[in-house]
Amino acid sequence: MSRLADIRSQSRLSDILEGQPQHAAIATLLTLGAFSLLVPVPNATLLGMSATTWAKTSILLAILHQVVVAIGFRLQLHRSILSRRFGERDMKVWTILFMPLLISRPITLILTGWADATPITSYRTLEIVLGLALLAPALWALHSTLFHFTIRRALGGDHFRDEIAAMPLVNKGVFRFTANAMYGVAFLGLWGIALLFGSWNALVVALFQHAYIWVHMYCTEKPDMEWIYGERIANAPGP
């Protein structure tokens, strides 16, 4: 029996729901906190929406993204729902669902920063230097993800294909130093974008998105990885 088939033969409803009550509770608290930090910008709009509206849109799309991923990952891992419904097209369908929501995260952050006139500090040169400094490791993490980790694995291919689940953990590029480079390092780019725009509201969005992706990591992905990789994840470098 394959590894994924073995998981599906053992799992129960409680396994599908593992971590999701915590996910919902933390997402609610993070959203309320982020919304309370946003600063209205009167008489300033971009494409008909204010900076705070763009910020709230970015936050809500991030929530939608991670809820879709949580549902998709769990139902695919434990019930093979996409594979049973779409057959060999399962990952193509999943990519169509996943990618637009992923891309919307930096785009709506950029639109927030573009529309926003609320400064972070009065030290613009320092903000620009810090922004560029954060973009550099983020770009390295994206390069490592594309060329070493691969898009198929980043999309959760190990929930779909036994040959992907059987692959060794990646230890090249930035993954030599941390197993969670996509979350810990790549998301620094959102902070860099906010700093380059000098936008308070974009910085709030970056804070929310970076904090919330770790909620996904600990409430959804970590339990999934324990099912798929077992003891192998214990030997992964760093947090």
Side-chain angles (χ1 to χ4, degrees):
M1 182 180 293
S2 71
R3 178 60 180 158
L4 294 179
D6 184 51
I7 290 170
R8 289 158 190 156
S9 70
Q10 297 179 45
S11 69
R12 301 165 297 177
L13 178 61
S14 58
D15 297 317
I16 298 174
L17 298 176
E18 182 181 3
Q20 297 315 301
Q22 298 94 313
H23 177 181
I26 299 170
T28 300
L29 292 174
L30 284 175
T31 303
L32 292 173
F35 279 15
S36 73
L37 292 173
L38 296 174
V39 176
V41 186
N43 304 318
T45 62
L46 177 65
L47 302 177
M49 292 169 58
S50 68
T52 50
T53 302
W54 278 116
K56 290 177 180 179
T57 299
S58 189
I59 288 168
L60 293 175
L61 284 172
I63 294 171
L64 176 62
H65 182 208
Q66 289 182 210
V67 169
V68 167
V69 171
I71 294 171
F73 274 9
R74 287 297 170 80
L75 291 180
Q76 175 61 26
L77 178 64
H78 293 283
R79 295 295 183 267
S80 190
I81 189 167
L82 289 167
S83 298
R84 288 191 288 110
R85 175 64 180 83
F86 299 105
E88 293 183 357
R89 297 184 295 117
D90 52 359
M91 287 196 68
K92 290 182 180 179
V93 172
W94 179 242
T95 301
I96 291 170
L97 291 171
F98 185 100
M99 289 304 297
L101 290 169
L102 176 64
I103 293 168
S104 74
R105 296 175 77 138
I107 289 177
T108 52
L109 175 69
I110 289 169
L111 292 170
T112 300
W114 193 355
D116 191 26
T118 306
I120 301 172
T121 72
S122 58
Y123 303 102
R124 281 299 293 137
T125 301
L126 179 59
E127 290 172 3
I128 291 170
V129 170
L130 287 175
L132 292 172
L134 290 173
L135 279 178
L139 291 172
W140 182 33
L142 288 174
H143 178 273
S144 297
T145 299
L146 290 171
F147 290 96
H148 300 305
F149 195 80
T150 74
I151 288 293
R152 293 185 81 207
R153 294 185 79 171
L155 287 169
D158 48 8
H159 291 62
F160 292 80
R161 301 286 187 269
D162 278 292
E163 62 267 25
I164 299 177
M167 294 172 69
L169 298 177
V170 178
N171 60 1
K172 296 180 180 179
V174 72
F175 292 96
R176 290 166 51 202
F177 305 99
T178 171
N180 293 311
M182 288 185 293
Y183 303 157
V185 183
F187 269 69
L188 293 176
L190 300 180
W191 294 86
I193 291 169
L195 287 165
L196 290 175
F197 275 104
S199 164
W200 170 259
N201 287 313
L203 194 70
V204 172
V205 172
L207 169 63
F208 173 86
Q209 291 207 33
H210 205 170
Y212 187 42
I213 198 64
W214 284 105
V215 177
H216 166 75
M217 171 61 202
Y218 286 108
C219 293
T220 301
E221 187 161 333
K222 186 174 184 292
D224 287 4
M225 296 304 96
E226 290 171 351
W227 276 98
I228 297 169
Y229 296 102
E231 294 181 358
R232 282 192 285 167
I233 64 169
N235 300 319

